Amino acid sequence: MRRPGERVDTRLAPPVQRVPRIDSVWVHMAGLSLVFAAAGMGLSAVVDLVEHGHSTLDLLAAAAVTAVVGAAMRRFSRIPAELSPGAVFVAVCISWVLTSVAGALPYLTTGLLDGLEPALFESVSGFTCTGSSVFTAENFADATPGVLFWRQMTQWFGGMGIIVLAVAVLPFLGVGGLELIRAEAPGPTSDRLAPRVSETAKRLWAVYLVFTVASIIALLLTGIGWFDSAGLALALVSTGGFAPEAASIGTYDSVAVELVLVVGMIIGGASFTLLYAALRGRPLDYLRNAEFRGYILAMALGMGLVALFLAGSGMAPGESLRMAVFNVATLATSTGFGNATGAGSPGDFAEWVPAAQVVLVLFMWVGGMTGSTSGGMKVLRAQVMARVAWRELRRAERPRAVLPLKQGRDVLAEDVVGRIAGFVLLYIVIVLAATLALTLAGNDVLTGFSGAVSAMGNMGPALGEAGPASSFAVYSAAERMILAALMLVGRLEVFPTVLTVVIIGRWIARRVPGRA
Amino acid sequence: MTDRGRAEAAAALVAGRGQRRFASAELNLVGLALVICGVALVVSAAADLTGGASDAAVLLGIGIGSAVSGLVLRSRFPLPERITPRSSLRTAAAALGAMIAVSTVVYLATGAIDGLQSASIESTSGFTTTALSVIGDPELQPRGVLFWRASTQWIGGFTALATIIAVLPFLGVSGPADPQTRLPTGVSHLTSGHVRRLLGRYALLYLILSLVGALVFLIGGMGPFDATTYAFTTISTGGFANHDGSFSRFDSELLEWMGVLGMALGGLSLSVVWSALRGHTQRVFGARELWAYAGLLVGSTAVIAVVQSPGDGLRENLRLSAFTATSAVSSTGHWVTDWSSFEPGLQMMLVLLIGIGAMSGSVGGGFRIVRAMALFSFLWRELVTQLQPRLVRSVRVGPEVVSEPMATRILGYQALYVGTAAAGFLGLAAAGTDVVTALSGSVSALATYGPALGELGVGEPVSALGGGAMAVLGFLMFAGRIELYPLLDGLVWILFAPLRRVRRASFSWAPSLRSPARRRSGT
């Protein structure tokens, strides 16, 4: 019996169930992502208004549709108490796909791209932080500031999702040996996924925001205007690689811009936990990290090699160094900016000597560090595989020796090594299968192979016909869908996507009539 | 002891020292390799007599020289009781290297090939059963040289098999397929009776298969000389040809089908052949790798026939497709049609097939089907345990369980294989080839197939690529033929020799770290 005047603590009272909610992590997560995306579209509409574009209403319409669907999904669902790894994988994949579908809306409502497929490709490429584009020069000329800003924004949102995924979710589930970096995540070391993710996400997003603002300021100082600065910064911190100009970074042809971008890309391709530590006053954590040392060393070596090869092919030494530093950085961090001023210009690496191209392809395979927004196989895994190979050779001397592998000071457990090896193997198999599919569809071997490597590593440009001075419009619609699928597979660290396919396949098989 | 007794003892010691024989597996087996080369050279000289006999004397001279020095080596350096793992690896590399050296001398002395590098590449290509040749038109060469060229592949094929049987089980890397060659690891088998029996058995089989091949080619319409040499290069999965157009030169449907059969036999595990001859059908049809091999052959033939349709009409289509597919899977390198002008997808497929290679326990090259199967099983386990983390599941090839250490070794081998291919990719591109040539050439040379895409297309002399590229290809062939370990191990040993010296020197400065007694013993 409640006495008059007594206050009821409503926070302790059980929530009143006005609407039936379904226990589904994927519906809830996808709803949340859509709401975020809608906010981004709204912001793009504002930018359009400020920049005197003429697509404000189109963008608002897209935002409204996305917001309604997202809010509804979120409202009528909740995260179940028990999360199985499979459910998380499915949720992550479906969220990414649905957000990409929603992200295609602005391209369609503004009428910039014809048809669903190019718009979807552009959107997937954005949300996976890849940076491959079907935009032609005419598209860039026709595009309103709002759409261009949205295009940059997709990458920024993608990056936001990825850092949480890469630092908190996937290491927790031990995907591809990522449990190695599990302890590094800032935030509580909880045994349950949900509280851990929300805490870690807040801290990482704060870092992400600081990094973005710093990048915008640095780019503004180079004098390229606020719209381009903001746009580039969004694609820079997410190692995405979209640029608001048709000729990418080649538009500015400025060493200062390139330098800022190189530094930004190197930080973006490194682990965000290290950046978090650095911002908390421990910058030396960078040097203590064995993966970071490998990352920097490999990049420096690659830059030197490419500069040598380019200088050997007759490019001026200064020019070749500039091209080598920028392009190795952009591909080793899976960003994918291009500094080509036109087809055949010094920055067009599809026209470089083969040796320099091969170095770039090898960097495309490896990509950046774990715990970052960059793609590729990751430096950590390449290091572990190199150690596995080295151990194999040392066994030649002592076949029965027990030789533990070490990463930095840590001894690697054999099952983690197995997971990493399994990841690398799956990565290779998928790239080769995709190369086979792309070449069977009629691409030449170079374009098919480099396109598959580039999409899987979320790089952006490829070699052959799809070089940095060209666009992915050279691929047919079907081929672009294969590439978009590859981007998703690569983006989500391979296992979740493949397992989602397995899980959905089993789910369908269970419902086929005539089967138990 | 009297003075006289002392003098006698001293004399005995001197005499004993004079006759003391240092045990060395490396030199002993190099001697064996030289004897084998010598015998082959003498036979080549005899073959030369059936033609113009222009080089018979040179071949005979080098042959006798090689055989005699081989015999001397063998008598001076007996096999030791115990052989360390590293020494057995060195033995494999040294034996192959010695044979290549002899062959280089042969090509230079007969004047068949100009230049040391070209001659050594032709020799490496021969003994590694790769089909990369610097000779533009083999028909201009005298018979003796051609016979020797085919013999190098024939000898090379068996050398590779002997390495797999005698050296690698010892390291525990022979692969899970062949129960007969699966021996306890860490123990030297190089001189064990079991390995000798196995080697003798396989040598006999190899000889029989080659004879049957020669006979079949003879019936198919080749002359005796061509029949013998083509049998040599087909059963060994080598791929050298006596003619400009390889098998297409004969323009005979029957011969091309016989070639398909020969190459398929070459890529077949000799243990399966042995079981088949012994009537153990259970063992033959129980081997999953055999089914996978057959599946790859039939499947890729069908894909090529449907997608490319390289010939006119069903029969020619099938024949050309089967020949190309079998040549790729068995890593032979004979050709009847230029597959580097096929559809890009098929080019890529063939490069992948070449990379996977033939059955384990065969003379073919590549990564080996059984290892690929084990890796797929491993991969599936990784996927499943991701969903059910507590699941315990073993890696399997068919019904057979692959032990965990073995699975780790296969993963390690895969890392080495991919790493070597990537190094070759970079090396070839750095030597100036285009990206596609570098990629396909690296895979093809490592799998000891030979021709590849781009500038390395079939029938192109490899010398056109220049010295740097030839050196890289030579390295890849050598490494790939003896399953990477011997060469890479040797390479690491050589590269780190200066480092070791520095370390040793720094140790000797610090007497507290190392006692003089230990330093003297050189441990």
Side-chain angles (χ1 to χ4, degrees):
Chain A
M1 190 76 142
R2 213 170 74 192
R3 275 170 291 180
E6 189 189 32
R7 287 181 62 195
V8 176
D9 190 350
T10 48
R11 283 173 302 173
L12 291 178
V16 184
Q17 280 274 356
R18 284 205 212 95
V19 286
R21 289 180 168 226
I22 50 167
D23 273 343
S24 170
V25 60
W26 73 261
V27 176
H28 198 80
M29 224 174 116
L32 185 67
S33 318
L34 289 181
V35 171
F36 268 105
M41 290 178 204
L43 185 62
S44 308
V46 174
V47 169
D48 200 60
L49 198 65
V50 173
E51 289 280 300
H52 311 295
H54 50 80
S55 60
T56 315
L57 287 178
D58 301 326
L59 286 166
L60 280 179
V65 173
T66 312
V68 167
V69 174
M73 285 171 81
R74 212 170 120 62
R75 186 78 185 83
F76 295 112
S77 65
R78 64 182 169 200
I79 295 179
E82 286 287 313
L83 280 180
S84 71
V88 176
F89 294 149
V90 172
V92 168
C93 285
I94 293 185
S95 304
W96 234 279
V97 171
L98 286 185
T99 316
S100 302
V101 172
L105 284 178
Y107 302 121
L108 295 172
T109 53
T110 56
L112 187 62
L113 292 173
D114 297 329
L116 184 62
E117 182 278 322
L120 198 59
F121 179 85
E122 197 72 11
S123 176
V124 170
S125 171
F127 278 108
T128 55
C129 301
T130 305
S132 307
S133 182
V134 289
F135 269 37
T136 55
E138 295 89 66
N139 287 136
F140 276 103
D142 294 345
T144 57
V147 176
L148 285 179
F149 194 79
W150 167 245
R151 186 162 165 267
Q152 304 301 108
M153 204 73 194
T154 54
Q155 300 214 307
W156 196 72
F157 277 129
M160 248 172 104
I162 291 154
I163 45 170
V164 175
L165 203 64
V167 177
V169 180
L170 298 181
F172 192 82
L173 298 172
V175 169
L178 281 182
E179 56 257 58
L180 275 183
I181 62 164
R182 189 188 294 181
E184 292 177 4
T189 45
S190 160
D191 283 341
R192 286 187 52 222
L193 182 61
R196 179 194 174 88
V197 169
S198 60
E199 265 309 302
T200 312
K202 279 175 204 156
R203 292 174 199 213
L204 287 174
W205 286 343
V207 173
Y208 194 59
L209 206 64
V210 171
F211 185 23
T212 311
V213 172
S215 306
I216 294 177
I217 293 170
L219 284 168
L220 269 178
L221 290 179
T222 62
I224 56 171
W226 86 266
F227 182 79
D228 280 9
S229 298
L232 280 183
L234 292 180
L236 170 69
V237 296
S238 57
T239 65
F242 275 159
E245 303 284 347
S248 193
I249 311 304
T251 319
Y252 315 110
D253 198 13
S254 141
V255 178
V257 174
E258 285 175 22
L259 267 181
V260 170
L261 291 177
V262 165
V263 173
M265 289 189 287
I266 291 176
I267 297 173
S271 163
F272 267 76
T273 356
L274 292 177
L275 185 58
Y276 177 78
L279 290 180
R280 294 287 295 256
R282 283 178 295 150
L284 286 183
D285 277 19
Y286 270 115
L287 294 181
R288 287 194 201 106
N289 188 299
E291 189 187 4
F292 183 78
R293 292 197 299 265
Y295 167 71
I296 287 293
L297 215 67
M299 218 186 302
L301 195 71
M303 286 169 182
L305 265 181
V306 170
L308 270 181
F309 288 139
L310 287 183
S313 73
M315 203 185 278
E319 181 98 325
S320 51
L321 188 66
R322 175 181 164 192
M323 294 305 150
V325 167
F326 185 82
N327 285 295
V328 168
T330 193
L331 291 181
T333 60
S334 90
T335 310
F337 286 132
N339 65 348
T341 48
S345 68
D348 182 7
F349 55 71
E351 302 288 326
W352 284 359
V353 279
Q357 292 186 357
V358 170
V359 176
L360 293 184
V361 169
L362 295 179
F363 273 109
M364 285 190 193
W365 271 102
V366 177
M369 277 177 76
T370 49
S372 74
T373 54
S374 65
M377 211 168 78
K378 303 283 152 47
V379 176
L380 176 72
R381 297 203 181 93
Q383 282 178 313
V384 172
M385 284 321 280
R387 297 207 164 98
V388 167
W390 181 243
R391 170 168 77 175
E392 200 50 39
L393 276 183
R394 277 180 60 202
R395 281 225 174 108
E397 201 172 359
R398 297 183 181 85
R400 280 198 268 186
V402 176
L403 302 169
L405 294 179
K406 285 172 114 183
Q407 168 74 9
R409 288 177 187 170
D410 307 323
V411 173
L412 302 176
E414 277 308 310
D415 61 326
V416 176
V417 175
R419 275 178 199 287
I420 289 177
F423 177 93
V424 172
L425 192 61
L426 190 58
Y427 196 92
I428 294 175
V429 167
I430 291 180
V431 169
L432 292 181
T435 307
L436 203 55
L438 288 173
T439 47
L440 278 175
N443 287 293
D444 64 273
V445 174
L446 182 61
T447 311
F449 175 69
S450 64
V453 174
S454 167
M456 185 80 169
N458 301 113
M459 295 295 146
L463 300 175
E465 294 168 30
S470 167
S471 87
F472 273 50
V474 297
Y475 294 102
S476 73
E479 290 157 17
R480 280 201 297 259
M481 284 295 100
I482 298 176
L483 289 169
L486 270 188
M487 290 174 196
L488 275 172
V489 171
R491 181 71 282 171
L492 306 178
E493 301 281 332
V494 186
F495 277 90
T497 342
V498 175
L499 288 171
T500 302
V501 173
V502 171
I503 291 168
I504 294 179
R506 282 182 182 171
W507 187 82
I508 293 171
R510 270 204 306 275
R511 274 153 186 77
V512 171
R515 283 191 61 165
Chain B
M1 198 185 275
T2 61
D3 281 357
R4 195 179 156 199
R6 255 189 216 130
E8 266 178 8
L13 195 66
V14 169
R17 188 170 290 160
Q19 287 169 1
R20 181 181 288 166
R21 306 195 321 156
F22 295 99
S24 162
E26 289 92 333
L27 291 175
N28 185 289
L29 288 172
V30 163
L32 181 64
L34 290 180
V35 172
I36 293 173
C37 282
V39 173
L41 277 168
V42 172
V43 178
S44 303
D48 202 46
L49 290 178
T50 66
S54 54
D55 292 321
V58 179
L59 290 171
L60 191 67
I62 300 174
I64 291 173
S66 168
V68 167
S69 48
L71 285 174
V72 170
L73 275 178
R74 274 179 78 75
S75 69
R76 296 281 295 185
F77 302 99
L79 280 173
E81 292 284 314
R82 275 189 78 243
I83 302 174
T84 64
R86 176 160 276 167
S87 142
S88 75
L89 288 181
R90 275 203 298 249
T91 305
L96 194 58
M99 293 195 287
I100 289 170
V102 170
S103 177
T104 308
V105 171
V106 170
Y107 288 131
L108 288 176
T110 55
I113 296 169
D114 292 329
L116 181 66
Q117 194 183 23
S118 296
S120 59
I121 283 297
E122 185 79 10
S123 311
T124 311
S125 181
F127 280 107
T128 57
T129 71
T130 316
L132 286 176
S133 182
V134 297
I135 297 178
D137 188 2
E139 284 165 70
L140 302 177
Q141 297 292 339
R143 278 194 161 188
V145 171
L146 286 179
F147 191 86
W148 167 246
R149 191 161 161 265
S151 310
T152 58
Q153 296 209 312
W154 193 67
I155 300 168
F158 195 74
T159 312
L161 191 67
T163 309
I164 295 169
I165 294 172
V167 177
L168 295 184
F170 181 11
L171 300 169
V173 289
S174 59
D178 187 355
Q180 290 171 328
T181 57
R182 203 193 298 133
L183 303 166
T185 57
V187 189
S188 170
H189 300 291
L190 203 54
T191 52
S192 79
H194 180 68
V195 164
R196 286 188 174 195
R197 260 197 312 284
L198 266 182
L199 281 180
R201 180 194 295 172
Y202 285 162
L204 186 69
L205 265 187
Y206 191 57
L207 196 68
I208 292 173
L209 283 181
S210 310
L211 282 177
V212 170
L215 209 61
V216 165
F217 286 149
L218 202 61
I219 295 168
M222 285 188 194
F225 178 75
D226 278 346
T228 319
T229 48
Y230 273 96
F232 276 4
T233 60
T234 306
I235 294 296
S236 67
T237 72
F240 275 164
N242 294 346
H243 305 90
D244 201 7
S246 191
F247 263 73
S248 64
R249 177 58 195 259
F250 298 105
D251 203 15
S252 151
E253 206 173 327
L254 182 64
L255 272 179
E256 287 178 18
W257 277 115
M258 286 170 169
V260 171
L261 189 72
M263 292 189 290
L265 274 178
L268 200 61
S269 162
L270 284 181
S271 123
V272 166
V273 177
W274 179 257
S275 301
L277 288 182
R278 294 285 298 268
H280 297 155
T281 44
Q282 191 87 38
R283 200 178 274 171
V284 173
F285 293 111
R288 288 292 170 93
E289 193 189 9
L290 179 67
W291 290 106
Y293 179 61
L296 280 182
L297 289 181
V298 174
S300 50
T301 301
V303 171
I304 296 173
V306 171
V307 178
Q308 179 70 28
S309 306
D312 299 326
L314 182 66
R315 268 173 61 170
E316 195 182 357
N317 258 338
L318 265 185
R319 192 177 76 242
L320 297 182
S321 308
F323 199 99
T324 310
T326 314
S327 176
V329 174
S330 65
S331 80
T332 306
H334 281 315
W335 53 278
V336 285
T337 176
D338 181 8
W339 60 272
S340 58
S341 61
F342 278 9
E343 295 279 326
L346 294 177
Q347 296 176 15
M348 196 62 216
M349 183 186 85
L350 286 166
V351 170
L352 287 181
L353 286 176
I354 290 167
I356 292 174
M359 282 178 79
S360 65
S362 75
V363 289
F367 186 68
R368 302 309 164 105
I369 294 169
V370 75
R371 290 201 183 105
M373 291 168 81
L375 283 185
F376 270 105
S377 168
F378 174 82
L379 199 53
W380 183 247
R381 179 175 74 172
E382 282 303 312
L383 279 171
V384 174
T385 48
Q386 197 81 64
L387 288 180
Q388 291 147 298
R390 292 190 195 174
L391 189 76
V392 176
R393 192 188 162 101
S394 48
V395 178
R396 287 163 179 272
V397 173
E400 219 181 307
V401 174
V402 180
S403 72
E404 284 306 309
M406 175 73 84
T408 330
R409 302 304 306 259
I410 295 177
L411 282 177
Y413 185 76
Q414 175 238 345
L416 278 180
Y417 197 80
V418 173
T420 313
F425 182 27
L426 184 60
L428 280 179
T433 64
D434 65 76
V435 179
V436 171
T437 307
L439 180 68
S440 58
S442 170
V443 171
S444 179
L446 193 60
T448 71
Y449 176 78
L453 304 175
E455 299 163 43
L456 269 172
V458 292
E460 303 284 331
V462 62
S463 41
L465 287 183
M470 285 207 291
V472 176
L473 287 170
F475 172 83
L476 288 171
M477 294 188 273
F478 199 116
R481 185 65 277 191
I482 43 179
E483 313 270 305
L484 305 181
Y485 291 94
L487 188 62
L488 292 184
D489 184 63
L491 197 71
V492 168
W493 192 78
I494 292 167
L495 282 180
F496 281 79
L499 197 69
R500 268 197 306 278
R501 190 157 297 164
V502 170
R503 270 190 198 159
R504 207 164 282 168
S506 66
F507 273 129
S508 61
W509 290 335
S512 60
L513 285 176
R514 219 158 178 226
S515 71
R518 281 191 67 195
R519 195 161 64 226
R520 252 204 313 281
S521 69
T523 46

